[in-house]
Amino acid sequence: MTRGHLWLLGTFAVLLVATWWDPIWPAEQALHNSLTLVALGVLGRVQKRRPMPVQTWAWALLFLALHTVAARWIYSYVPYDDWTSALFGVRLSEVFSWHRNHFDRLVHFAYGLCLAMMLRLKPLRSLEIVIATSALYELLEWVIAMTLGAETAEAYNGQQGDIWDPHKDMALALLGALVAVWSQAVAGRRTGAPVHSDSGFSRDFDSARESR
């Protein structure tokens, strides 16, 4: 790893520790953070096998940072209204007439955006991977809902009474991926540089596909 990789990882570690200061819902937060640890393990393994550039790590840790912040308030109670009120004197829920906490929507959008920016594959392949992994995550939430108690499942899934929550989450992840592949295409046209990468995650997915 370069200093850039270590600096990003250290910054994320500080954020992760900070979110555990006087936790409000420790059990539920730990359940959310278990996936964070899995993701960090995957990143470390990929980095060891096929080093990824700092930019790829930045996208990965940006998403994990949003997820980590959301985990502290188990997604449904992230106090972004208080934050915007303190900074700008407005509450987003009042401005947009929201009746639920929408921080989970932001995180799902960020998932599609960040993963597609990391992959830098051909557009359709990036979109396929984003929507497929999003669907797998929603299936995981379904399994949790079926196996854990109602309160624990709701605390983790954060549907907030919206029966279309999984569909909206996947749609927002897809939208984020579309924004990513569009921005990559625009940047490629302007600079003349190749849009697609052959390093890190990109090569792993290509190798997996060729081995089938």
Side-chain angles (χ1 to χ4, degrees):
M1 291 187 186
T2 67
R3 289 184 179 179
H5 291 88
L6 294 175
W7 185 87
L8 287 171
L9 188 59
T11 302
F12 175 75
V14 170
L15 173 65
L16 179 61
V17 171
T19 60
W20 275 97
W21 181 267
D22 192 19
I24 308 169
W25 297 279
E28 292 82 358
Q29 184 176 350
L31 186 59
H32 280 292
N33 281 162
S34 64
L35 290 181
T36 303
L37 297 178
V38 170
L40 289 173
V42 171
L43 279 175
R45 183 178 179 183
V46 173
Q47 182 68 20
K48 185 176 180 180
R49 291 177 56 194
R50 296 179 175 180
M52 295 177 287
V54 173
Q55 183 183 21
T56 301
W57 269 71
W59 285 112
L61 293 178
L62 172 61
F63 167 73
L64 290 179
L66 288 171
H67 171 69
T68 299
V69 170
R72 175 174 173 81
W73 288 278
I74 57 174
Y75 275 85
S76 299
Y77 303 102
V78 177
Y80 56 76
D81 277 328
D82 295 337
W83 299 341
T84 58
S85 178
L87 291 172
F88 309 111
V90 297
R91 300 178 67 84
L92 292 180
S93 294
E94 295 177 359
V95 172
F96 296 104
S97 300
W98 289 342
H99 301 291
R100 74 185 297 279
N101 192 295
H102 283 287
F103 200 83
D104 61 330
R105 307 292 194 222
L106 171 64
V107 176
H108 282 280
F109 175 84
Y111 173 76
L113 175 69
C114 294
L115 181 56
M117 293 299 290
M118 291 171 62
L119 293 172
R120 299 185 67 83
L121 298 169
K122 293 180 180 179
L124 286 179
R125 195 178 305 175
S126 288
L127 297 179
E128 288 173 351
I129 292 170
V130 166
I131 197 66
T133 53
S134 295
L136 284 174
Y137 180 77
E138 296 303 329
L139 287 173
L140 172 64
E141 288 194 339
W142 172 74
V143 170
I144 290 174
M146 296 297 292
T147 56
L148 299 182
E151 291 186 3
T152 303
E154 174 58 27
Y156 183 83
N157 294 342
Q159 290 185 327
Q160 303 177 63
D162 186 355
I163 63 172
W164 300 107
D165 181 71
H167 309 75
K168 293 175 182 177
D169 290 345
M170 288 188 289
L172 282 166
L174 180 60
L175 178 60
L178 286 169
V179 171
V181 298
W182 174 79
S183 65
Q184 289 168 359
V186 171
R189 291 194 188 98
R190 288 181 177 177
T191 63
V195 175
H196 313 302
S197 171
D198 61 352
S199 63
F201 269 48
S202 306
R203 289 183 294 174
D204 280 342
F205 277 107
D206 281 334
S207 298
R209 183 176 181 180
E210 290 171 0
S211 65
R212 289 183 300 191

XYZ file of all heavy atoms in Angstrom, residues 10-34 36-37 40 61-75 78-79 83 103:
390
model
N -6.669 5.101 7.415
C -6.592 5.671 8.755
C -7.721 6.646 9.038
O -8.302 6.649 10.131
N -8.052 7.485 8.048
C -9.164 8.428 8.206
C -10.471 7.703 8.425
O -11.280 8.074 9.281
C -9.268 9.334 6.962
O -8.039 10.029 6.767
C -10.396 10.346 7.127
N -10.682 6.635 7.647
C -11.898 5.850 7.822
C -11.934 5.192 9.198
O -12.993 5.134 9.839
C -12.017 4.789 6.732
C -13.181 3.870 6.928
C -14.469 4.304 6.647
C -12.996 2.588 7.429
C -15.565 3.463 6.863
C -14.074 1.749 7.631
C -15.359 2.186 7.352
N -10.792 4.684 9.655
C -10.732 4.044 10.971
C -11.113 5.017 12.076
O -11.826 4.661 13.026
C -9.336 3.469 11.211
N -10.654 6.269 11.961
C -11.015 7.293 12.949
C -12.523 7.521 12.951
O -13.159 7.614 14.009
C -10.265 8.609 12.658
C -10.811 9.745 13.519
C -8.769 8.431 12.889
N -13.111 7.606 11.760
C -14.560 7.777 11.665
C -15.296 6.596 12.288
O -16.263 6.773 13.035
C -14.966 7.928 10.192
C -16.471 7.949 9.916
C -17.117 9.185 10.541
C -16.752 7.907 8.416
N -14.831 5.380 11.983
C -15.483 4.187 12.518
C -15.455 4.176 14.040
O -16.474 3.902 14.693
C -14.793 2.943 11.961
C -15.333 1.584 12.439
C -16.788 1.416 12.039
C -14.486 0.445 11.888
N -14.304 4.492 14.616
C -14.186 4.536 16.078
C -15.077 5.630 16.654
O -15.746 5.439 17.681
C -12.716 4.755 16.486
C -12.616 5.013 17.982
C -11.870 3.530 16.105
N -15.128 6.778 15.992
C -15.934 7.903 16.482
C -17.416 7.548 16.545
O -18.134 7.983 17.462
C -15.717 9.129 15.604
N -17.890 6.770 15.585
C -19.312 6.412 15.575
C -19.676 5.461 16.714
O -20.862 5.262 16.994
C -19.717 5.761 14.238
O -18.957 4.560 14.030
C -19.506 6.723 13.084
N -18.657 4.872 17.346
C -18.917 3.978 18.472
C -18.799 4.685 19.820
O -18.854 4.046 20.865
C -17.975 2.775 18.414
C -18.523 1.708 17.525
C -18.215 1.483 16.213
C -19.500 0.734 17.880
N -18.946 0.426 15.734
C -19.741 -0.052 16.730
C -20.200 0.444 19.045
C -20.652 -1.102 16.728
C -21.106 -0.612 19.042
C -21.323 -1.364 17.897
N -18.647 6.008 19.786
C -18.622 6.752 21.040
C -20.040 6.833 21.604
O -20.940 7.407 20.990
C -18.075 8.159 20.811
C -18.004 8.986 22.061
C -18.944 9.843 22.544
C -16.935 8.993 23.012
N -18.528 10.407 23.714
C -17.298 9.903 24.042
C -15.705 8.333 23.091
C -16.483 10.157 25.126
C -14.885 8.596 24.183
C -15.273 9.492 25.175
N -20.250 6.219 22.770
C -21.562 6.205 23.423
C -22.659 5.782 22.441
O -23.582 6.553 22.147
C -21.870 7.594 23.990
C -23.073 7.568 24.937
O -23.423 6.487 25.427
O -23.681 8.639 25.147
N -22.594 4.550 21.926
C -23.568 4.105 20.910
C -24.995 4.101 21.447
O -25.243 3.796 22.616
C -23.089 2.691 20.582
C -22.333 2.253 21.791
C -21.655 3.488 22.325
N -25.921 4.442 20.565
C -27.338 4.532 20.944
C -28.003 3.166 20.848
O -28.771 2.756 21.711
C -28.060 5.540 20.030
C -27.310 6.870 20.020
C -29.499 5.755 20.502
C -27.790 7.833 18.943
N -27.707 2.456 19.766
C -28.250 1.110 19.537
C -27.074 0.165 19.240
O -26.835 -0.192 18.080
C -29.226 1.114 18.360
C -30.437 1.963 18.578
C -31.561 1.648 19.271
C -30.676 3.280 18.061
N -32.474 2.669 19.232
C -31.957 3.695 18.490
C -29.916 4.157 17.274
C -32.500 4.932 18.170
C -30.453 5.398 16.958
C -31.721 5.772 17.393
N -26.316 -0.236 20.247
C -25.070 -0.979 20.004
C -25.251 -2.298 19.263
O -24.453 -2.620 18.376
C -24.505 -1.200 21.409
C -25.664 -0.990 22.336
C -26.541 0.010 21.674
N -26.271 -3.064 19.592
C -26.458 -4.362 18.941
C -26.773 -4.186 17.460
O -26.195 -4.862 16.596
C -27.574 -5.143 19.634
N -27.686 -3.284 17.159
C -28.063 -3.047 15.774
C -26.910 -2.424 14.990
O -26.686 -2.755 13.816
C -29.296 -2.145 15.707
C -30.578 -2.783 16.220
C -30.694 -2.726 17.748
O -29.757 -2.225 18.403
O -31.728 -3.191 18.275
N -26.172 -1.517 15.639
C -25.021 -0.903 14.977
C -23.956 -1.950 14.665
O -23.350 -1.940 13.586
C -24.431 0.200 15.858
C -23.288 0.960 15.178
C -22.769 2.111 16.023
O -23.373 2.470 17.037
N -21.652 2.675 15.626
N -23.744 -2.875 15.586
C -22.769 -3.939 15.362
C -23.189 -4.826 14.186
O -22.347 -5.266 13.394
C -22.611 -4.780 16.620
N -24.481 -5.077 14.056
C -24.976 -5.884 12.942
C -24.683 -5.187 11.615
O -24.224 -5.823 10.650
C -26.478 -6.126 13.097
C -27.137 -7.072 12.095
C -26.506 -8.457 12.153
C -28.646 -7.164 12.372
N -24.912 -3.899 11.556
C -24.595 -3.142 10.346
C -23.085 -3.129 10.082
O -22.639 -3.289 8.945
C -25.092 -1.699 10.482
C -26.551 -1.534 10.215
N -27.105 -1.710 8.964
C -27.589 -1.193 11.029
C -28.404 -1.494 9.018
N -28.722 -1.172 10.258
N -22.312 -2.942 11.133
C -20.861 -2.839 10.968
C -20.213 -4.167 10.604
O -19.068 -4.188 10.118
C -20.214 -2.285 12.238
C -20.355 -0.785 12.365
O -20.187 -0.227 13.444
N -20.663 -0.099 11.268
N -20.914 -5.274 10.818
C -20.358 -6.568 10.431
C -20.108 -6.616 8.925
O -19.099 -7.172 8.469
C -21.299 -7.702 10.851
O -22.547 -7.614 10.168
N -19.436 -3.988 7.145
C -18.299 -3.101 6.914
C -16.987 -3.864 7.051
O -16.072 -3.718 6.229
C -18.318 -1.935 7.916
O -19.557 -1.236 7.795
C -17.168 -0.974 7.660
N -16.897 -4.703 8.066
C -15.687 -5.496 8.276
C -15.470 -6.489 7.139
O -14.342 -6.711 6.703
C -15.769 -6.222 9.620
C -15.825 -5.325 10.860
C -15.943 -6.162 12.121
C -14.597 -4.423 10.925
N -14.133 -4.498 4.209
C -12.721 -4.152 4.403
C -11.830 -5.369 4.160
O -10.733 -5.248 3.589
C -12.501 -3.610 5.807
C -13.070 -2.223 6.095
C -12.925 -1.886 7.576
C -12.385 -1.161 5.239
N -14.065 3.588 0.229
C -14.155 4.086 1.598
C -15.166 5.217 1.742
O -15.717 5.423 2.827
C -12.777 4.533 2.076
C -11.768 3.383 2.233
C -10.407 3.919 2.660
C -12.268 2.345 3.235
N -15.444 5.938 0.657
C -16.518 6.935 0.701
C -17.854 6.260 0.970
O -18.635 6.698 1.828
C -16.576 7.714 -0.615
C -17.776 8.658 -0.778
C -17.779 9.734 0.303
C -17.773 9.294 -2.168
N -18.115 5.182 0.242
C -19.368 4.453 0.486
C -19.411 3.888 1.893
O -20.428 4.005 2.602
C -19.544 3.332 -0.528
C -20.640 2.386 -0.138
C -21.963 2.757 -0.228
C -20.334 1.123 0.378
C -22.986 1.896 0.177
C -21.338 0.264 0.778
C -22.666 0.652 0.679
N -18.315 3.258 2.322
C -18.289 2.665 3.659
C -18.429 3.731 4.739
O -19.005 3.474 5.801
C -16.997 1.871 3.852
C -16.889 0.580 3.037
C -15.546 -0.105 3.302
C -18.038 -0.371 3.362
N -17.918 4.929 4.481
C -18.070 6.023 5.445
C -19.542 6.403 5.600
O -20.037 6.599 6.726
C -17.251 7.229 5.004
N -20.258 6.520 4.483
C -21.684 6.831 4.549
C -22.449 5.731 5.283
O -23.327 6.004 6.111
C -22.242 7.010 3.138
C -21.825 8.281 2.397
C -22.275 8.218 0.944
C -22.404 9.522 3.079
N -22.112 4.483 4.968
C -22.762 3.350 5.638
C -22.457 3.362 7.140
O -23.346 3.085 7.959
C -22.278 2.040 5.009
C -22.715 0.829 5.760
N -24.032 0.408 5.812
C -22.009 -0.064 6.508
C -24.119 -0.681 6.558
N -22.909 -0.987 6.987
N -21.223 3.697 7.506
C -20.832 3.710 8.913
C -21.570 4.795 9.689
O -22.021 4.574 10.823
C -19.310 3.923 9.022
O -18.642 2.834 8.372
C -18.862 3.987 10.469
N -21.705 5.968 9.082
C -22.471 7.045 9.716
C -23.927 6.618 9.878
O -24.540 6.803 10.944
C -22.379 8.338 8.887
C -23.369 9.386 9.397
C -20.957 8.888 8.926
N -24.497 6.028 8.835
C -25.887 5.582 8.895
C -26.075 4.502 9.952
O -27.111 4.449 10.622
C -26.318 5.067 7.525
N -25.068 3.633 10.099
C -25.182 2.528 11.057
C -25.324 3.025 12.486
O -26.003 2.403 13.308
C -23.968 1.611 10.933
N -24.672 4.137 12.808
C -24.771 4.663 14.179
C -26.215 4.960 14.542
O -26.652 4.741 15.682
C -23.917 5.919 14.345
C -24.085 6.558 15.727
C -23.162 7.707 15.976
N -23.486 8.379 17.231
C -23.119 7.971 18.441
N -22.424 6.861 18.574
N -23.455 8.647 19.520
N -26.962 5.477 13.589
C -28.372 5.810 13.829
C -29.302 4.802 13.167
O -30.460 5.124 12.872
C -28.657 7.226 13.323
C -28.059 8.295 14.180
C -28.569 8.805 15.340
C -26.820 8.993 13.958
N -27.739 9.779 15.849
C -26.647 9.919 15.017
C -25.836 8.938 12.969
C -25.546 10.766 15.116
C -24.732 9.779 13.073
C -24.597 10.677 14.119
N -28.810 3.599 12.941
C -29.532 2.490 12.294
C -30.378 2.981 11.112
O -31.521 2.565 10.942
C -30.366 1.673 13.304
C -31.361 2.523 14.073
C -29.456 0.915 14.248
C -32.304 1.711 14.977
N -29.806 3.855 10.343
C -30.368 4.381 9.101
C -31.650 5.196 9.313
O -31.776 6.305 8.800
C -30.640 3.238 8.112
C -29.436 2.861 7.291
C -28.486 1.961 7.776
C -29.235 3.401 6.035
C -27.369 1.625 7.025
C -28.122 3.069 5.269
C -27.189 2.183 5.773
O -26.081 1.861 5.026
N -31.008 8.881 11.264
C -29.886 9.789 11.008
C -30.409 11.231 11.098
O -31.334 11.603 10.374
C -29.271 9.534 9.618
C -28.147 10.535 9.339
C -28.744 8.109 9.518
N -29.826 12.057 11.988
C -30.393 13.396 12.242
C -29.942 14.458 11.235
O -29.458 15.529 11.609
C -29.883 13.703 13.650
C -28.553 13.024 13.709
C -28.712 11.748 12.899
N -28.697 18.576 11.387
C -27.446 19.058 10.795
C -27.695 20.229 9.851
O -27.015 21.243 9.927
C -26.737 17.925 10.048
C -26.356 16.762 10.909
C -26.232 16.759 12.267
C -26.068 15.436 10.472
N -25.872 15.502 12.707
C -25.766 14.676 11.640
C -26.040 14.799 9.237
C -25.440 13.314 11.577
C -25.708 13.455 9.172
C -25.411 12.727 10.331
N -32.037 8.977 4.496
C -30.593 8.777 4.416
C -30.256 7.437 3.767
O -29.232 7.303 3.092
C -29.959 8.858 5.805
C -28.482 9.143 5.767
C -28.022 10.447 5.647
C -27.552 8.118 5.842
C -26.660 10.730 5.608
C -26.189 8.382 5.806
C -25.736 9.692 5.679
